[in-house]
Amino acid sequence: MRVIPKGTKVKVMFFKNVSILDTLIALLGVALVVLIAIANINVIVKVALILIVIGIFVTLFIEFDGERFYKASIKLIRYVFSIKHYSQSFNKTSSNMQDFIAFKDVKDGFIVYDKYFAGVMQIDPREFRLLSEYRQDQMIDEYFARVLRSIGENSSASIVKIDRKLMFDQYVESENKKRDELYKIYESGELTEQELHSREKVINDRLRTYKALNETASIKKAFFYLVVYDENKENITSILEEAVETFKEIGMTSKILDTKELAVFLKYNFTDNFEEKDVDALHPDEF
């Protein structure tokens, strides 16, 4: 199977999620335990030391935000002892968050930068492993290449992957409608009270599940985007519209993001700790 782009840095692992460094540290822990076990010391002291060593090494492998504790500790130590530079001329009152953000505005379906604009297209992914090698080559060399060739020398582009939370609001709305219809059927005399309660219980169970998936047990899905940059808005629109038609030829759905969707896209580039539906309550000037 062809992969775009090819892996540039492959981690060597003995087992899944177990790197060479993990293995070396684990072997060091085992060696220390063996040395203590064969040492000529009091049994109680020996057991206590072994438990302490095991506790320390187990702690080193606990993951925090997807990273081993020992790796995070090394980064923290390097930061604490690194040489830091401070400027006496720094004026706190003149600092502005906008100085740290590349884009200036989101307006009329474009991301506004200092001297250029950006348009974004969402591309629904395809499972390449289910396609034949011939079909993979055709999609890459003919269709994807056509999209890339349409980006002229005065334009540039990025392919962005974002892990977004799946929203189940439509399912919640559908279940609420089913419950309302169920009450109407009961009021018409077509259902007994027992039948009403048994069916209502099923709907309520589904609602609890959907609400939990929306709030506490969210599921994330990979979303892919093509971002095109240019000084001319018309060039961006032309490239993206042509790309939509090209992907349509191979059965791939895609769409150009509007202003509100652009605001959500940019927010995900900084954090995923927010609710997408909160954007609906904002005025376009607040994006």
Side-chain angles (χ1 to χ4, degrees), residues 206-261:
R206 290 175 180 168
L207 283 171
R208 279 193 293 269
T209 301
Y210 292 140
K211 288 180 180 178
L213 291 172
N214 267 347
E215 298 169 4
T216 57
S218 59
I219 299 174
K220 293 184 179 180
K221 177 186 175 183
F223 286 74
F224 297 87
Y225 302 87
L226 175 66
V227 186
V228 178
Y229 311 90
D230 198 295
E231 296 178 358
N232 190 318
K233 292 182 180 180
E234 293 182 359
N235 289 343
I236 296 174
T237 302
S238 175
I239 292 171
L240 293 180
E241 288 179 347
E242 183 179 339
V244 170
E245 294 301 318
T246 300
F247 286 128
K248 190 182 295 184
E249 293 180 25
I250 51 177
M252 291 182 65
T253 56
S254 58
K255 66 174 182 176
I256 301 172
L257 302 189
D258 58 26
T259 303
K260 183 175 73 173
E261 291 168 329

Side-chain angles (χ1 to χ4, degrees), residues 8-133:
T8 56
K9 186 177 181 181
V10 180
K11 294 182 179 180
V12 180
M13 295 185 177
F14 288 113
F15 303 99
K16 185 177 180 180
N17 296 327
V18 180
S19 66
I20 293 179
L21 185 57
D22 294 339
T23 306
L24 293 175
I25 293 176
L27 290 175
L28 177 61
V30 172
L32 288 175
V33 170
V34 171
L35 289 175
I36 295 172
I38 63 176
N40 187 20
I41 57 178
N42 184 279
V43 175
I44 296 177
V45 176
K46 183 184 298 186
V47 173
L49 289 174
I50 289 175
L51 292 176
I52 291 172
V53 171
I54 292 175
I56 292 173
F57 277 85
V58 168
T59 303
L60 292 177
F61 286 91
I62 295 176
E63 289 195 0
F64 293 91
D65 293 331
E67 189 173 47
R68 305 283 191 202
F69 178 71
Y70 73 84
K71 292 182 179 179
S73 299
I74 293 173
K75 290 181 179 179
L76 178 61
I77 292 171
R78 290 176 60 185
Y79 171 76
V80 170
F81 290 97
S82 63
I83 299 175
K84 303 174 182 64
H85 301 278
Y86 302 95
S87 174
Q88 294 181 352
S89 61
F90 175 73
N91 185 1
K92 186 175 181 179
T93 59
S94 65
S95 62
N96 190 335
M97 182 57 68
Q98 198 65 44
D99 297 336
F100 302 94
I101 301 176
F103 65 91
K104 302 301 179 184
D105 197 1
V106 181
K107 188 176 181 180
D108 300 330
F110 293 94
I111 303 172
V112 181
Y113 294 87
D114 277 334
K115 298 181 180 179
Y116 58 95
F117 305 92
V120 183
M121 180 180 71
Q122 179 180 320
I123 308 169
D124 291 338
R126 289 288 298 272
E127 183 56 79
F128 259 43
R129 289 174 293 183
L130 300 180
L131 303 176
S132 66
E133 187 173 351

